[in-house]
Amino acid sequence: MLIGVPKEIKVHEYRVGLTPMGVHELVSQGHQVLVESFAGMGVGYLDEDYTNAGASVTGSAEELYLNAEMIIKVKEPQPRECKLLSEGQTLFAYLHLAADRQQTDALIKSGCTAIAFETVTSPGGGLPLLAPMSEVAGRMSIQAGAHCLEKAQSGKGVLLGGVPGVPPAKVLVIGGGVVGENAARMALGLGAQVTIVDRSVPRLQQLDAQFGGRLQTLYSTQNNIEAAVLSADLIVGAVLIPGAAAPKLVTRDMVERMKPGTVMVDVAIDQGGCFETSRPTTHQNPIYEVNHVVHYCVANMPGAVARTSTLALQNVTLPYAQALASKGWMNAMWDDPHLANGLNIQRGQVACPGVADAFGMPLIPMEKILSNHKA
């Protein structure tokens, strides 16, 4: 198979879909890889590194999209990239379609087969291709939040860990999944007072045991969330419903009653955000204020630590890329139903329940798609 690796064009996105090591693995299995020039520069890889690994390099994104049978990239294709996709082509990337009607329509129109990293599952019910970026984003949320709490960023002027004789900041983490756990770990490590909210009592028990009682846990109800957000200095939104839009757990009314300088970091912004006042921002312009409450809603947070993120992502995506390249998407999904859960769009049809629900679109069952092609 001829695999294309384009240069990411989203604002301040420096990650790359394959490293030279990944290229070498695919080439050694008989595949061809075409890499867009400078695709790896943001993480320290030169075009020469890719050619030494066996790839061909092109200076034209149009040429890459025209010739590649499968496109491997990191972030969702931007509008001009969607126009380059074609029927019969396979796209393997983060998509987050339930929060992006424009991209959903464009991928449907393209006729491509779009497989989303974030909806591929594991036998245990986890999200193996989302987990490493969730770890990165969870940890970064505390770094970003601590910076935004500085007075120069319109925050309260509170040091996250405090100092002797001065209490630490109160950090509220909404969601006890991978993002929430990593956010809590970082905040606790910096000496903050941390509360984590989740609707799963068993998960709260796990977190309580894991952090040895240093972490305060709270069952997720509207009243509990409201009371907690009004007393917090830093709030991290870490809620995820796989493949679906995030629920709005912090309302505009709550934001209007928060103390000026409170900081909100919405890690769920890729899926639409879990704060009612959230809207996507970029690394170039990461924050804005609503009622003097600072909002940090960067939609590609891990892109800021591009090398760490690229290496961590490739560790988990490469085996799936190898299966798709060697078997084709249909046979790979027949062999692995967890990979099949990654199928979001297939030749103009929506295959992901969360996306269909978000936009009121008809859903074609996975079994029907696979059986039709198998026949």
Side-chain angles (χ1 to χ4, degrees):
M1 180 178 283
L2 177 55
I3 301 159
V5 183
K7 185 179 187 300
E8 299 290 330
I9 62 173
K10 187 164 186 170
V11 176
H12 286 283
E13 180 53 72
Y14 304 105
R15 290 172 289 181
V16 64
L18 283 175
T19 69
M21 182 275 286
V23 168
H24 183 269
E25 291 294 309
L26 288 163
V27 170
S28 68
Q29 295 177 359
H31 304 295
Q32 297 174 278
V33 181
L34 183 61
V35 178
E36 186 177 353
S37 186
F38 304 115
M41 286 290 288
V43 290
Y45 297 120
L46 306 176
D47 289 349
E48 181 182 357
D49 297 323
Y50 283 100
T51 56
N52 289 341
S56 299
V57 174
T58 177
S60 168
E62 289 76 12
E63 179 187 355
L64 185 145
Y65 279 88
L66 179 64
N67 290 287
E69 298 168 83
M70 178 166 67
I71 301 292
I72 299 178
K73 64 192 309 294
V74 180
K75 287 304 291 179
E76 71 280 355
Q78 302 302 291
R80 75 182 193 216
E81 293 177 301
C82 288
K83 293 178 181 178
L84 297 175
L85 290 165
S86 59
E87 186 171 343
Q89 212 165 36
T90 299
L91 170 66
F92 192 38
Y94 285 119
L95 299 178
H96 301 288
L97 294 181
D100 191 342
R101 179 62 185 260
Q102 181 183 13
Q103 185 199 172
T104 301
D105 289 340
L107 292 181
I108 288 172
K109 183 178 180 180
S110 76
C112 78
T113 297
I115 304 167
F117 290 166
E118 73 273 7
T119 59
V120 173
T121 58
S122 66
L127 302 171
L129 306 192
L130 187 61
M133 296 304 94
S134 295
E135 292 169 350
V136 171
R139 298 180 185 203
M140 286 189 67
S141 69
I142 301 304
Q143 293 182 187
H147 179 61
C148 290
L149 276 172
E150 296 172 11
K151 200 64 182 177
Q153 311 304 318
S154 299
K156 290 182 177 180
V158 174
L159 181 65
L160 208 63
V163 292
V166 180
K170 294 182 179 179
V171 176
L172 173 66
V173 180
I174 303 176
V178 177
V179 171
E181 178 183 333
N182 280 272
R185 177 177 291 113
M186 287 291 287
L188 287 169
L190 290 171
Q193 178 183 324
V194 183
T195 299
I196 195 162
V197 177
D198 200 90
R199 62 181 180 180
S200 168
V201 172
R203 179 56 177 160
L204 293 176
Q205 291 170 336
Q206 290 175 351
L207 291 166
D208 180 72
Q210 178 179 342
F211 292 106
R214 294 183 297 141
L215 179 73
Q216 296 181 8
T217 58
L218 196 62
Y219 183 71
S220 181
T221 66
Q222 187 173 4
N223 286 341
N224 282 344
I225 290 174
E226 181 174 353
V229 299
L230 294 180
S231 65
D233 299 305
L234 168 61
I235 303 160
V236 176
V239 178
L240 174 68
I241 300 177
K248 307 298 185 186
L249 298 181
V250 176
T251 66
R252 183 175 296 274
D253 174 68
M254 294 179 196
V255 173
E256 290 175 352
R257 290 186 285 135
M258 290 178 189
K259 296 176 183 177
T262 300
V263 173
M264 302 172 69
V265 178
D266 198 343
V267 184
I269 194 64
D270 280 312
Q271 294 293 126
C274 60
F275 308 146
E276 195 172 21
T277 49
S278 291
R279 57 177 172 81
T281 62
T282 67
H283 289 292
Q284 190 172 24
N285 295 294
I287 62 174
Y288 62 93
E289 294 180 43
V290 176
N291 198 46
H292 303 293
V293 172
V294 181
H295 290 59
Y296 181 102
C297 304
V298 175
N300 59 328
M301 288 178 65
V305 287
R307 188 172 179 87
T308 296
S309 296
T310 293
L311 294 171
L313 182 59
Q314 184 175 260
N315 288 342
V316 293
T317 58
L318 185 59
Y320 294 95
Q322 291 171 315
L324 290 165
S326 297
K327 302 176 182 180
W329 72 267
M330 181 186 67
N331 289 327
M333 289 183 179
W334 267 106
D335 292 344
D336 185 353
H338 299 289
L339 174 58
N341 288 330
L343 186 63
N344 277 218
I345 305 291
Q346 208 286 310
R347 294 200 176 188
Q349 299 173 303
V350 177
C352 176
V355 177
D357 290 345
F359 304 123
M361 293 178 169
L363 173 71
I364 181 167
M366 181 66 58
E367 298 78 9
K368 184 175 181 181
I369 291 176
L370 294 180
S371 63
N372 284 348
H373 282 273
K374 197 69 173 179

